[in-house]
Amino acid sequence: MLDALFKPRAVAIVGASTKELSIGNVIIRNLQEYGYKGAIYPINPTAPDVRGIKAYKSLSEVPGEVDLAHIIIPAKFVPQTIEECGRKGIKAVVINSAGFSEMGEEGKKLQEAFLANARRGGVRVFGPNCQGIINTDPALRAYCNFTFTYPEAGSVSVVALSGGVGALIMQALFDLGIGMRMYASNGNACDISIPEILRYWGDDEGTKAILLYTEGFSDPNEFLAAAREVARRKPVLAMKAGRTEQGAKAASSHTGSLAGVDIATELIFEKTGILSFTDEGAMVRAAKAFASQPVPAGNRVGIITNTGGPAVIATDVLVASGLDVPKLSDGSIARLKETLLPEAAIENPVDVVATAGGAHFRAALDVLLEEDGVDSIFMNFVTAPFTDTHAVAREIAAVSRMGKKPIVCNFMTDLTQERFRITERILKEGGVPCYANPSDAANALGALVRYGRLRQRDIGKPESLPGADAARARAVVGQAGKEGRTVLSATDVYTIFEAYGIPVAPWNVAGTADEAAAAAARIGYPVVVKADSEKIDHKSDMGGVVVNLRDAAAVRATVQDLQGRLGKHGRLNFLVQKFLPGGRELIVGASAERGLGHLVMFGLGGVYVEVLKDVVFKIAPVTRVEAREMLASLKAKALLDGVRGEKGVDREKVVDLILRVSALLADLPEIREMDLNPVMAFENAVYAVDGRIRI
Ligand code: ADP
Ligand code: MG
């Protein structure tokens, strides 16, 4: 439980300072000015008081109980101070001081030392090298932080390792008039982690939505587990930085480098149902809608406007984000005709026109509330000076308060005028999320809809594979490991594939021309012959793949030719394989991610991988729903269904192959990289015709 950290009844400041421009002073000032309801105990060896509050020479002299201590002293004194905290019964500390693991070996040792003392004394550590926490609960008002924004109380909680971004988000919430619930920025995060904070807020009734900023995870699996649990219960909006690096990585042509840490973060968000953003402004504006509005049941939007153009912009943005602005039912249209002004445009958008008053707006709102074909309401409200804008605002606010359907408002006005500030306040008090332009409002509504979709999405559980021979596959990998081989031979690779029921083109490995010809006869012509050597990565680049061989003489000649050209690279074997022309070439790949297991990749194979980079990733284990999503999210997905008379491919067999690859990865954590490229996909079958595994 993190109550001692987030709901401290008394706070000690070790390193309290009388110097105005110091952290040891600012934190006390923040506690005072924000109106902290608990006791404040400055600890200072010489000063009798700090900022008018009696100071104590040491923690042991503090008369009352203390839940939380700020530590703002040189790093080398921290271990001893933590020990004192333990003795005093302090349950949590915020270590604002820097000079630990971020500073190399010496700092790391200090961090280990204070952590050991913390564990012994039952003290939980937040930080070090961090800002702290804020709890805006009016009954507590704990501003245990050295930033300068004094947030309004509300229902959005914010966590960011980076103090700079945390402060930025907090200020942006404040500027948009969005209330905040709790705040945490935990720097080095050596003990209390983001997953733990997420869980705590998941249980916090006052937190309606969570905003998260991250640049990656120290323990991705821990985050995955926590995020999955919490995102099911309440919206988690997240953003990670480092996107350009992802772009650079995606440009690389190899499975292992196609995926990267940054892709993994994005995939964690996707797998756990976290709503991901690429822009901090968009994330904060979306939070405004999440803070007060219900989640829409679907993507159909009804627009009410008192000015034409902005509704057109809104329609464009809504539709571009996958929302629908459908026709209204005949019943709704008839009702609108009865109630609106004669010059009103009765369709969707409903243009009530600029002279419309509160009653007209309300009539249109009521129709959309009752219209079954509409899941949410988008308002365009310009404060026409010749109308009673307060009355209009009161109606919008009243509908928002009902909480029946989500509503967002593009509010076009001039807030330097007192009158319109009042109109705005009426909207705000009704919890109507207002935005300064149609695009921002539309994007915020789009985020609500996206979340609604995420919440309905159930990826299911990974399936078990009856008949998979894990022992056989493990034996192959074990043997290669023993022999110090990191790239598996063709025999190894196809044996492993077969152990998992992955369909492969009939194959045989031969050492000589005679053996190859015999193998070809068994497999049946035409065949392909490929050079098989651990030294050769891309066989066809070196002329190591010869297709469509129709008789024994051709096979023999090919083997001799390959031996002559490529034999110098070391021992060479020859993979003889059934020639299966005319399929759609796909790629299924995998790479190991630090702390996360494997990423599975799927896309167009063969030369298309390099040229189009049309590939998608998922974190293993992949469920059937996710495998289907992989097929559906290719840019060239139409190719899978066949175009212009070409046949499509057996999608479910592709899905099945992806699931088998995922099962294989789960049993063989030693695999660093793997790809099946190409998988030949036909109308009724799929076959892997090339495989590579690195352990
Ligand atoms: P590499 O990827 O090492 O260059 P591949 O085994 O993938 O070698 O072969 C290169 C290309 O040859 C494949 O992308 C595919 O177009 C073709 N090819 C390989 N094996 C077969 C096969 N059994 N049937 C049909 N085409 C094949
Ligand atoms: Mg290949």
Side-chain angles (χ1 to χ4, degrees):
M1 278 297 268
L2 300 179
D3 280 352
L5 174 67
F6 285 107
K7 298 174 183 169
R9 289 160 304 181
V11 178
I13 293 89
V14 182
S17 169
T18 52
K19 277 192 280 190
E20 290 258 333
L21 295 180
S22 70
I23 292 180
N25 190 280
V26 166
I27 287 175
I28 296 174
R29 190 181 69 208
N30 280 343
L31 282 164
Q32 288 175 312
E33 291 187 354
Y34 198 62
Y36 177 49
K37 302 282 198 261
I40 304 171
Y41 299 113
I43 310 295
N44 183 303
T46 52
D49 59 84
V50 178
R51 299 195 61 85
I53 304 175
K54 177 178 166 43
Y56 298 86
K57 289 191 170 33
S58 71
L59 281 170
S60 58
E61 285 178 22
V62 172
E65 273 184 41
V66 177
D67 286 331
L68 176 68
H70 272 278
I71 314 274
I72 316 155
I73 55 175
K76 62 176 184 226
F77 301 122
V78 170
Q80 181 203 329
T81 302
I82 298 288
E83 202 181 328
E84 285 166 30
C85 288
R87 272 204 300 276
K88 175 74 187 155
I90 295 174
K91 298 278 175 310
V93 293
V94 170
I95 304 181
N96 300 105
S97 312
F100 300 98
S101 67
E102 82 282 3
M103 295 287 284
E105 269 317 299
E106 195 72 1
K108 226 165 141 189
K109 275 199 199 117
L110 274 174
Q111 188 162 311
E112 276 157 25
F114 79 61
L115 262 178
N117 290 350
R119 301 237 155 86
R120 218 172 301 125
V123 182
R124 297 301 311 273
V125 179
F126 189 83
N129 187 24
C130 75
Q131 274 181 9
I133 66 98
I134 299 172
N135 185 345
T136 66
D137 184 343
L140 190 68
R141 297 190 66 83
Y143 201 119
C144 305
N145 210 52
F146 57 71
T147 44
F148 49 80
T149 312
Y150 285 173
E152 285 177 49
S155 61
V156 177
S157 291
V158 177
V159 60
L161 283 184
S162 153
V165 179
L168 183 88
I169 292 174
M170 174 156 56
Q171 182 66 37
L173 289 171
F174 182 81
D175 290 343
L176 285 176
I178 308 168
M180 196 178 80
R181 167 74 174 167
M182 291 192 221
Y183 175 89
S185 176
N186 57 342
N188 294 14
C190 73
D191 177 23
I192 295 173
S193 63
I194 285 190
E196 207 177 347
I197 294 168
L198 278 185
R199 283 212 164 91
Y200 183 76
W201 288 347
D203 292 335
D204 173 46
E205 275 192 23
T207 296
K208 227 185 139 203
I210 298 170
L211 295 191
L212 163 72
Y213 171 83
T214 173
E215 285 157 14
F217 300 105
S218 56
D219 186 345
N221 269 326
E222 185 198 7
F223 179 82
L224 202 79
R228 185 175 285 155
E229 224 180 274
V230 176
R232 235 195 314 254
R233 278 183 281 155
K234 52 184 77 166
V236 181
L237 286 60
M239 169 173 166
K240 62 116 197 142
R243 290 180 54 77
T244 50
E245 200 185 332
Q246 174 187 340
K249 279 189 172 139
S252 163
S253 65
H254 197 255
T255 306
S257 44
L258 269 174
V261 176
D262 291 305
I263 292 180
T265 306
E266 206 60 69
L267 294 174
I268 291 174
F269 291 168
E270 181 194 71
K271 198 168 188 98
T272 54
I274 287 179
L275 199 59
S276 126
F277 290 82
T278 54
D279 174 305
E280 69 285 356
M283 175 167 81
V284 170
R285 287 190 297 270
K288 191 173 195 176
F290 279 93
S292 65
Q293 297 303 307
V295 178
N299 72 337
R300 301 161 308 173
V301 189
I303 302 177
I304 300 173
T305 188
N306 60 350
T307 166
V312 179
I313 298 179
T315 306
D316 275 346
V317 178
L318 289 168
V319 171
S321 358
L323 279 68
D324 190 15
V325 184
K327 278 208 157 62
L328 302 178
S329 67
D330 293 344
S332 293
I333 289 175
R335 279 184 62 197
L336 287 170
K337 275 196 180 127
E338 264 168 45
T339 45
L340 296 188
L341 293 168
E343 55 273 34
I346 313 285
E347 43 204 315
N348 193 9
V350 182
D351 189 346
V352 294
V353 303
T355 46
H360 301 110
F361 269 88
R362 182 55 188 257
L365 281 162
D366 283 339
V367 168
L368 291 193
L369 280 179
E370 275 153 45
E371 164 66 77
D372 288 335
V374 156
D375 306 302
S376 59
I377 300 173
F378 184 102
M379 300 298 308
N380 255 322
F381 173 24
V382 65
T383 50
F386 40 83
T387 57
D388 182 351
T389 54
H390 300 349
V392 172
R394 274 195 297 273
E395 297 303 343
I396 300 173
V399 169
S400 164
R401 274 200 200 90
M402 287 182 196
K404 254 178 89 180
K405 286 183 184 174
I407 185 166
V408 300
C409 181
N410 165 36
F411 183 49
M412 294 166 281
T413 194
D414 171 12
L415 288 177
T416 62
Q417 297 187 38
E418 168 77 21
R419 173 184 164 195
F420 298 140
R421 279 204 300 278
I422 295 171
T423 307
E424 189 203 33
R425 202 171 61 228
I426 295 169
L427 290 169
K428 189 179 172 189
E429 283 167 6
V432 181
C434 287
Y435 300 89
N437 58 67
S439 300
D440 284 355
N443 281 321
L445 182 57
L448 271 185
V449 171
R450 202 148 56 91
Y451 175 71
R453 227 182 269 139
L454 273 183
R455 215 173 52 172
Q456 280 165 17
R457 165 178 179 256
D458 178 7
I459 62 169
K461 295 220 158 30
E463 297 166 27
S464 65
L465 266 191
D469 192 348
R472 183 148 153 251
R474 275 203 206 98
V476 170
V477 170
Q479 184 62 29
K482 238 182 261 157
E483 291 168 17
R485 289 183 287 127
T486 55
V487 178
L488 301 195
S489 70
T491 305
D492 292 343
V493 169
Y494 290 100
T495 304
I496 291 172
F497 288 173
E498 283 176 349
Y500 282 85
I502 294 171
V504 297
W507 62 281
N508 230 298
V509 170
T512 64
D514 284 343
E515 281 175 31
R522 275 199 304 277
I523 290 166
Y525 291 98
V527 297
V528 182
V529 172
K530 303 180 186 181
D532 172 29
S533 156
E534 129 174 37
K535 301 265 159 25
I536 302 178
D537 213 20
H538 292 283
K539 299 177 287 296
S540 47
D541 287 357
M542 319 184 64
V545 176
V546 184
V547 301
N548 200 11
L549 300 171
R550 305 192 151 268
D551 54 37
V555 168
R556 281 207 180 83
T558 299
V559 166
Q560 271 146 16
D561 173 54
L562 289 176
Q563 184 67 53
R565 284 191 295 114
L566 304 175
K568 57 183 181 292
H569 292 298
R571 170 149 177 75
L572 202 59
N573 278 317
F574 303 94
L575 176 77
V576 184
Q577 196 181 48
K578 183 81 184 168
F579 179 50
L580 296 170
R584 182 71 66 203
E585 296 198 18
L586 306 176
I587 181 171
V588 178
S591 60
E593 275 298 318
R594 185 185 55 83
L596 191 63
H598 292 102
L599 299 187
V600 178
M601 181 184 89
F602 170 73
L604 289 190
V607 292
Y608 293 116
V609 181
E610 265 114 287
V611 181
L612 299 178
K613 292 156 194 106
D614 191 4
V615 294
V616 289
F617 293 87
K618 294 276 181 190
I619 298 166
V622 175
T623 68
R624 190 169 289 273
V625 171
E626 289 179 302
R628 287 186 182 137
E629 285 175 356
M630 291 178 99
L631 270 64
S633 54
L634 280 193
K635 290 189 207 85
K637 57 176 176 281
L639 286 180
L640 301 179
D641 296 323
V643 280
R644 299 224 165 178
E646 269 185 44
K647 298 235 157 67
V649 309
D650 190 328
R651 299 173 69 108
E652 278 309 296
K653 288 218 167 80
V654 176
V655 166
D656 187 67
L657 187 144
I658 294 173
L659 295 181
R660 286 173 190 278
V661 166
S662 171
L664 180 169
L665 293 166
D667 293 340
L668 299 171
E670 302 91 334
I671 293 181
R672 308 303 310 155
E673 264 169 47
M674 166 165 112
D675 61 59
L676 294 71
N677 182 23
V679 168
M680 290 290 193
F682 300 89
E683 198 185 358
N684 302 311
V686 297
Y687 302 97
V689 305
D690 185 27
R692 208 186 321 267
I693 295 179
R694 203 167 65 74
I695 56 172

